[in-house]
Amino acid sequence: MATIELQISAAAALLLLSISSVGNAQLIFDIMKYGATADGVSSIDQALLSAWKDACASATPSKIVIPPGTYPLGEITLQGPCKAPLEVQLQGTLKAPADSAQFKQDGWVTFQYLDGFTLSGGGVFDGQGKLAWSQNDCNKNKNCRKIINLRFNFVTNALVQDITTRDSKNFHVNVLGCKNFTFNRFTVTAPGDSPNTDGIHIAKVDGVNVTDSNIGTGDDCISIGDGTKQLHITGVNCGPGHGISVGSLGKTRGEEPVQGVWVKNCTITGTQNGVRIKTWPASFPGSVSDMHFEDVTMVNVGNPIFIDQLYCPWNQCKADIPSLVKISNVSFRNIHGTSSTAVAVKLTCSSKVPCENVEVGDINLTYSGPEAPAAISECSNVTPTFSGTQVPSVCAKEA
Ligand SMILES: *[C@@H]1O[C@H](CO)[C@@H](O)[C@H](O)[C@H]1NC(C)=O
Ligand SMILES: *[C@@H]1O[C@H](CO)[C@@H](O)[C@H](O)[C@H]1NC(C)=O
Ligand SMILES: *[C@@H]1O[C@H](CO)[C@@H](O)[C@H](O)[C@H]1NC(C)=O
Ligand SMILES: *[C@@H]1O[C@H](CO)[C@@H](O)[C@H](O)[C@H]1NC(C)=O
Ligand SMILES: *[C@@H]1O[C@H](CO)[C@@H](O)[C@H](O)[C@H]1NC(C)=O
C-alpha cells in the first residue's frame, strides 16, 4: 500500500509540474484571505508574512496578491530559499512608519535568498521619509540611520516591473549580491532636496539591467558600487538628482573591481552631475574598467561628463594624495544637450594611476548659464582618443 500511495503522489506532482510549466499556472495567495484589511490603518505585517510562508513553501510557482488599497506595513524581511518561483503582485500602496525609531535595522522591505522572483503590479512603496529627512545627519554622523525602502540581497533570476518607490528615508533601493536581475518600467520619486535618497544603489552583482525607467531623487539616480559586473542602464530618465554615478570608490579596503557598465539611450535632466565616475584621493587600490556611455541627452545638467578622482566631500580626505583606483577602457559617445556648468567635460584622473584607453566620440554640449560663454573642458592625467566631433573640444592643449 505504501508504495502505491507514493507512486500516486509522485504522479500527481508530475501532473502539477507539467500544468505549471505549460500553462504558467501560479497558485494565488491573496493577503485578504490572510486577514488583511484595506482600512488604511491596520498594518498587514502578519497577513503578508503568513501568505509569504505558504507561497514560499509551495512546490508550484506562486503569486502573492496585494489588491488595490492603502496598507501600513512595518519593517519586514521576506526570505527564501523558496521551493518554486514566486511573484509578489503589489497593486496597492504600502506605507512605511514615518518614525525611524520604529525600525530595528536599515531596511524597510527586504527580499533575500530568492531564485526566480518577480515583483510587479503597478503598486507603490511609500517610505514616508519627510520626518527622517529633517533628522538626517549623515554629513557629520558616520553611524546615521539609513533606512532603505527596498533591499534585494542575493536574489537571482529576478524581474521588478511596474513598481514605484517613493519618498524613502535614505536610499530607495539597495541591490546586493544579485545575479540576472532586471528593473523594467521602474519609478523612483523623491523631492530634489531630500538628502541621501539615491534611486538604486547596486554593488557586488553580476548581470543587472535597468530599462525604461524614471528616476528622480535628491541624490544619485543610480549609484554603482564595487563588485558591479555587467550592468546595462537603457531608456532611463534621470532627474532631479545627482546623475548616474560609478562610486564613490577607494574609501574602504578590499573593494572588488567594477567591470562592464553600459549607459545607453538615457536622458538626464536638471541634475548636479551627468554621468560620473568618482573615486577618493588617498584611497585604497581598486579598478574600474569597461564603462560605456552612449546616446545620452543632457538637459541643463551640471558636469555632464565627469571623471572625478578628487572626490572629497566635506573635506573628509587628504586631497593631495592621489587616488589608487585605476580607471581604464571608458567611452563617451554621442552625448549632447545643455550643461548648467561652463565646464561641460571634466576628466580629472589620478596622477599616480592615470586613466587609460579613454575614448571620446561625438559630443555636443552647450553651456546654458546666465552669462553663457562657450562650454569648456578640463583634463588631467588622461590622453583620450577621439572620433567624430567634439563641442567643446576636449582636452585641447592650452594655446
Ligand atoms: C534571467 O531571469 C529571467 C527572469 O527575470 C529568466 O526568465 C531568464 O531565464 C534568466 N536567464 C538566465 C540565463 O537564467
Ligand atoms: C541586459 O541587457 C543586455 C543588452 O541588451 C543583455 O545582453 C543582457 O542579457 C541583459 N541582462 C539581463 C539580466 O537581462
Ligand atoms: C530610448 O528610450 C526611450 C525611453 O526613455 C524609449 O521610448 C525609446 O524607444 C528608446 N530608443 C531606443 C532606440 O532604444
Ligand atoms: C581594455 O581593453 C583592451 C582591449 O581593447 C583589453 O586588452 C584590456 O584587457 C582591457 N582592460 C581591462 C582592465 O579591462
Ligand atoms: C550642437 O548643438 C547645437 C544646438 O542644438 C547645434 O546648433 C549645433 O549645430 C550642434 N553642433 C554640432 C557640431 O553638431
Side-chain angles (χ1 to χ4, degrees), residues 1 25 39 51 59 132 136 180 203 319 370:
M1 284 308 278
D39 60 11
N136 181 300
N180 184 24

Side-chain angles (χ1 to χ4, degrees), residues 102-293:
Q102 293 193 37
F103 292 77
K104 294 196 186 73
Q105 290 175 347
D106 51 8
W108 172 30
V109 181
T110 301
F111 294 99
Q112 58 188 14
Y113 311 124
L114 299 168
D115 181 16
F117 175 68
T118 304
L119 177 60
S120 65
V124 178
F125 291 85
D126 183 351
Q128 302 212 86
K130 220 171 185 176
L131 177 65
W133 302 333
S134 72
Q135 297 165 343
N136 181 300
D137 60 355
C138 291
N139 59 351
K140 37 187 196 285
N141 174 11
K142 273 200 308 210
N143 303 313
C144 64
R145 293 306 305 271
K146 290 182 176 163
I147 298 162
I148 295 173
N149 261 10
L150 279 165
R151 282 181 172 274
F152 299 98
N153 299 329
F154 308 99
V155 176
T156 59
N157 302 317
L159 173 65
V160 174
Q161 180 164 277
D162 299 318
I163 287 291
T164 294
T165 160
R166 175 199 296 159
D167 293 348
S168 185
K169 294 177 176 62
N170 204 266
F171 290 12
H172 279 82
V173 180
N174 194 73
V175 182
L176 174 72
C178 296
K179 287 185 181 161
N180 184 24
F181 195 120
T182 298
F183 291 90
N184 186 40
R185 299 192 303 257
F186 188 63
T187 303
V188 181
T189 165
D193 60 357
S194 56
N196 308 117
T197 53
D198 296 53
I200 307 177
H201 180 71
I202 298 170
K204 298 185 169 64
V205 301
D206 190 351
V208 171
N209 287 8
V210 183
T211 54
D212 299 343
S213 294
N214 293 305
I215 305 175
T217 73
D219 209 307
D220 293 335
C221 290
I222 298 178
S223 58
I224 298 156
D226 83 294
T228 297
K229 284 193 269 185
Q230 306 298 314
L231 168 65
H232 292 257
I233 299 169
T234 52
V236 169
N237 294 309
C238 162
H242 296 180
I244 296 175
S245 298
V246 179
S248 55
L249 295 170
K251 203 169 188 210
T252 44
R253 188 185 293 278
E255 288 178 351
E256 296 167 27
V258 176
Q259 192 156 31
V261 174
W262 290 262
V263 176
K264 203 167 179 317
N265 183 32
C266 292
T267 299
I268 304 183
T269 306
T271 52
Q272 274 186 14
N273 306 281
V275 292
R276 178 168 58 149
I277 301 171
K278 51 180 171 170
T279 78
W280 293 82
S283 73
F284 293 104
S287 80
V288 175
S289 62
D290 214 2
M291 303 284 118
H292 305 284
F293 305 93

Side-chain angles (χ1 to χ4, degrees), residues 54-114:
D54 286 356
C56 188
S58 163
T60 36
S62 58
K63 176 151 89 181
I64 296 171
V65 177
I66 303 171
T70 298
Y71 309 89
L73 175 69
E75 181 176 15
I76 196 166
T77 299
L78 300 168
Q79 79 178 44
C82 297
K83 286 207 167 137
L86 190 157
E87 175 168 359
V88 173
Q89 189 175 54
L90 172 64
Q91 298 170 339
T93 296
L94 302 177
K95 276 192 185 294
D99 185 356
S100 301
Q102 293 193 37
F103 292 77
K104 294 196 186 73
Q105 290 175 347
D106 51 8
W108 172 30
V109 181
T110 301
F111 294 99
Q112 58 188 14
Y113 311 124
L114 299 168

